[in-house]
Amino acid sequence: MIILLIGPPGCGKGTQAELLCNEKQFVQLSTGDMLRAEIAAESELGKEVEAIMATGKLVPDQLMVDMIAGQLDVHHNDTNIILDGFPRTKAQAIALDSMLASRGLKIDYAIEMRADVEELVKRIEKRAKDTGGARADDNETVLRNRVKVYEEQTAPILPHYSHKGVHKIVDGCQPVTDVATKINDILTS
Ligand code: AMP
């Protein structure tokens, strides 16, 4: 089963992906985590993307498509995969369709996690405090920019999944366990 988690920054994608990994043996492919690992490793790629990520803009499509294609190959034996943070643009969504088709795979659910922007600001401020400011993009100004980028570039891909009949919506502002129950209901429906 392949699931996409799509939603604005701070909506709880990572938390829900982690729960699915722990409870249902899913493999989480988080492009944000992969990019942060590249930055931490001070790789060439990390150096290339660090400034982009710090402003909340998106990393170029081709780079992300290559990264996910590589990960799908690494995980070719895994049957349950969550894509957390990919695709984020129409070009990525189209590239994903063809890379899945060429591997005999398809998207089972594209789960949109909705959340109100003021709630996101509160959550990101809490995450910045809890992690000692570990992420350069966890502050209100960058967060508001990331939400704008989400609305302009990522939300427009949702109709693509509605047309395929795989688009599902959950309210990301509910408590973590309630959101997890809703997602579980979708996966077992
Ligand atoms: P995230 O951890 O998913 O919130 O991602 C953090 C940052 O990584 C984003 O604000 C983007 O700069 C970059 N990023 C992660 N995934 C993608 C993607 N699929 N396309 C472009 N940029 C991405």
Side-chain angles (χ1 to χ4, degrees):
M1 180 180 284
I2 301 216
I3 303 175
L4 314 183
L5 289 182
I6 302 173
C11 70
K13 294 189 293 290
T15 304
Q16 293 302 325
E18 213 172 289
L19 286 173
L20 286 166
C21 292
N22 295 339
E23 290 164 16
K24 289 187 175 281
Q25 282 79 45
F26 271 86
V27 170
Q28 174 191 11
L29 301 184
S30 159
T31 42
D33 285 351
M34 291 173 208
L35 293 168
R36 281 184 288 279
E38 295 286 342
I39 293 173
E42 297 181 8
S43 69
E44 280 309 309
L45 174 61
K47 284 179 201 149
E48 194 182 328
V49 300
E50 189 167 14
I52 301 174
M53 287 173 71
T55 63
K57 291 201 185 111
L58 295 182
V59 169
D61 286 331
Q62 196 55 50
L63 221 148
M64 303 313 306
V65 168
D66 292 346
M67 189 175 256
I68 283 293
Q71 286 297 310
L72 287 175
D73 289 339
V74 169
H75 292 281
H76 68 278
N77 283 328
D78 291 305
T79 43
N80 289 329
I81 292 177
I82 306 169
L83 296 183
D84 161 12
F86 183 94
R88 264 177 152 103
T89 64
K90 277 188 187 160
Q92 292 180 18
I94 289 161
L96 178 63
D97 283 350
S98 54
M99 72 174 106
L100 290 178
S102 69
R103 290 166 176 80
L105 301 169
K106 65 167 182 55
I107 294 158
D108 292 277
Y109 297 105
I111 301 178
E112 176 191 355
M113 297 179 64
R114 287 198 179 157
D116 166 71
V117 66
E118 298 312 319
E119 172 68 22
L120 297 173
V121 171
K122 265 193 259 160
R123 286 189 187 181
I124 291 286
E125 283 176 341
K126 183 174 182 306
R127 183 164 79 185
K129 221 182 262 170
D130 292 349
T131 60
R135 283 182 57 161
D137 57 356
D138 270 354
N139 64 69
E140 182 174 348
T141 312
V142 178
L143 185 268
R144 287 191 189 274
N145 192 33
R146 290 165 69 205
V147 171
K148 191 165 167 274
V149 167
Y150 174 78
E151 283 165 359
E152 289 175 358
Q153 299 192 60
T154 307
I157 69 177
L158 292 165
H160 181 69
Y161 298 113
S162 307
H163 290 138
K164 288 180 186 286
V166 297
H167 179 201
K168 305 282 171 185
I169 301 166
V170 298
D171 179 359
C173 289
Q174 298 297 310
V176 171
T177 49
D178 292 1
V179 179
T181 304
K182 291 269 158 51
I183 292 178
N184 192 42
D185 290 348
I186 291 169
L187 303 189
T188 52
S189 66

